[in-house]
Amino acid sequence: MDLISVVVPARNEGGRITTVLQNLGTLPIDQIILVANGSRDSTMHEALNMRLPKLQIIYFHDSLGIDIPRAIGAKAALALGSDAVAFVDGDMVGTFNENLMELVDGILLKHMDMALTNCYPSPPRHIERCNPTFQWRLNLNKELGLEKKISIANPSHGPHAVSRRFLETTPLRELAIPPVSMTLARMNKLRIDVATTIPHYRLGSSVKNQIHTNKIIDTIVGDCLEAIAAFRNHPRNRQWQSKTYLGYHIDRRFDLLDSFLDEKPCSK
C-alpha cells in the first residue's frame, strides 16, 4: 500500500485551520503533517481540539518564514516512508479535495515526480504588466524546457505533490525555495507535469494587503532568478537589472531549518 502524506504549513491561521484540516481529514490519506510556526493566535488550540487521528503536529515557537515549513514537513513525511507528499497552505479553505487526489494520482498512478496545479486556466493578459511573477515563472519554465507542458505553473502557487524519489534526490533544504527545487528535479531528469486545475479564486486563500502582495511578488521573482542561475550552474543571484528581489526571502529561517534537518529522525 502506498503511503500518502499532506504537509500543511500554518502561521496565525486561527479560524481557517479548522476548515483546512476538516477537508483533509475526509480524504483517503495516511498522515497530515501540520507545521505550526510562530502562531500567536488560536491555530494550535483549534488543531489540537480536532483530535484527528491522522494529524501529526510539528511546532516551532518562532516563525520559520515562507516555504521553510515545506522542507520541515517533507523531512517528516520522508521519515514516515511516504510515497506521495502533497503540500497545502494552512489558509486554503477552498473545497478542492478531488483536485488534491488528482495530484496524488499524478504521483502514484502517472508516475510524476512533481505534480503541479494550474491556477490560471485562462492565461493572464498583458502578462508582464499584470504581475511580474507571471513573466518570471514563464521565463523559468522556458529555461527548463517545460513551458509547453506546464505553462506558468510553479510549486510556489497552489497545492502540489512530490514523489519519494523527488525527496530522495533533491536536497530537502532546497524545498524552501520552491522554484529551485523544481529546477533541481528537472536537472535530475525527474518527471514534472500539471496534474490538476484549480483557478486561483477557488483556493480560498486569505486576502492580504498590498504591502504583502508586493513582498510576495518580489519573493517569487527572486526565487525564479535563483532557479535560473542554478540551472545555468551560475552562483545564486536574486538580481535583475538594478533591483535585488528579496521580498520575504530575508525572513526565511534557514538556521532553524538546518538544525531540524541535522536532527536524527525519531523512531515511529
Side-chain angles (χ1 to χ4, degrees):
M1 286 287 292
D2 293 312
L3 196 149
I4 303 166
S5 296
V6 178
V7 173
V8 182
R11 176 177 178 266
N12 292 334
E13 297 300 349
R16 286 179 164 264
I17 196 63
T18 296
T19 301
V20 174
L21 295 177
Q22 282 175 339
N23 289 341
L24 295 176
T26 65
L27 290 175
I29 59 178
D30 301 285
Q31 198 79 29
I32 302 168
I33 301 169
L34 175 65
V35 185
N37 66 104
S39 291
R40 300 293 183 264
D41 66 355
S42 61
T43 299
M44 278 293 292
H45 179 73
E46 291 179 35
L48 290 168
N49 271 359
M50 295 189 67
R51 304 187 185 280
L52 277 176
K54 299 176 182 179
L55 181 62
Q56 172 181 328
I57 299 175
I58 303 175
Y59 172 78
F60 284 82
H61 177 75
D62 296 319
S63 172
L64 296 173
I66 191 170
D67 299 317
I68 295 283
R70 297 188 192 195
I72 297 284
K75 180 189 176 182
L78 187 58
L80 288 169
S82 303
D83 298 289
V85 181
F87 299 88
V88 177
D89 289 345
D91 68 339
M92 291 182 178
V93 298
T95 304
F96 44 81
N97 277 2
E98 289 185 10
N99 302 92
L100 288 178
M101 295 316 298
E102 287 178 349
L103 291 171
V104 171
D105 287 347
I107 300 298
L108 299 179
L109 301 182
K110 298 180 181 177
H111 308 293
M112 299 176 192
D113 294 296
M114 177 175 269
L116 299 170
T117 295
N118 174 13
C119 294
Y120 294 98
S122 299
R125 295 181 179 180
H126 311 299
I127 192 166
E128 290 185 57
R129 285 181 292 162
C130 183
N131 184 327
T133 67
F134 298 141
Q135 184 62 54
W136 281 100
R137 284 154 57 172
L138 186 61
N139 291 348
L140 171 60
N141 293 350
K142 284 182 177 179
E143 185 84 18
L144 302 182
L146 291 172
E147 82 280 7
K148 291 181 180 177
K149 183 181 284 191
I150 68 173
S151 183
I152 61 171
N154 186 287
S156 294
H157 190 186
H160 62 287
V162 298
S163 67
R164 185 194 299 186
R165 181 167 62 166
F166 175 95
L167 296 177
E168 289 175 341
T169 57
T170 306
L172 294 177
R173 190 180 198 270
E174 302 291 8
L175 271 71
I177 306 180
V180 172
S181 72
M182 180 174 72
T183 296
L184 297 180
R186 180 65 166 165
M187 294 171 75
N188 286 326
K189 296 181 169 54
L190 301 187
R191 290 194 60 197
I192 303 165
D193 210 338
V194 168
T196 194
T197 296
I198 312 174
H200 173 76
Y201 71 89
R202 280 189 51 215
L203 295 175
S205 301
S206 54
V207 177
K208 307 273 197 325
N209 59 34
Q210 191 60 43
I211 294 173
H212 169 79
T213 299
N214 291 341
K215 291 187 78 169
I216 284 289
I217 289 172
D218 283 2
T219 304
I220 296 176
V221 170
D223 289 355
C224 289
L225 288 166
E226 273 204 53
I228 291 171
F231 189 70
R232 295 175 178 175
N233 289 313
H234 292 169
R236 299 279 184 91
N237 192 344
R238 302 180 70 89
Q239 184 170 334
W240 173 251
Q241 296 179 339
S242 60
K243 180 174 178 177
T244 300
Y245 290 84
L246 292 175
Y248 286 114
H249 180 64
I250 57 177
D251 299 322
R252 285 171 167 154
R253 294 295 303 273
F254 283 100
D255 57 330
L256 297 177
L257 173 59
D258 290 338
S259 296
F260 184 83
L261 295 178
D262 287 341
E263 292 176 6
K264 293 182 179 178
C266 298
S267 57
K268 291 177 64 176

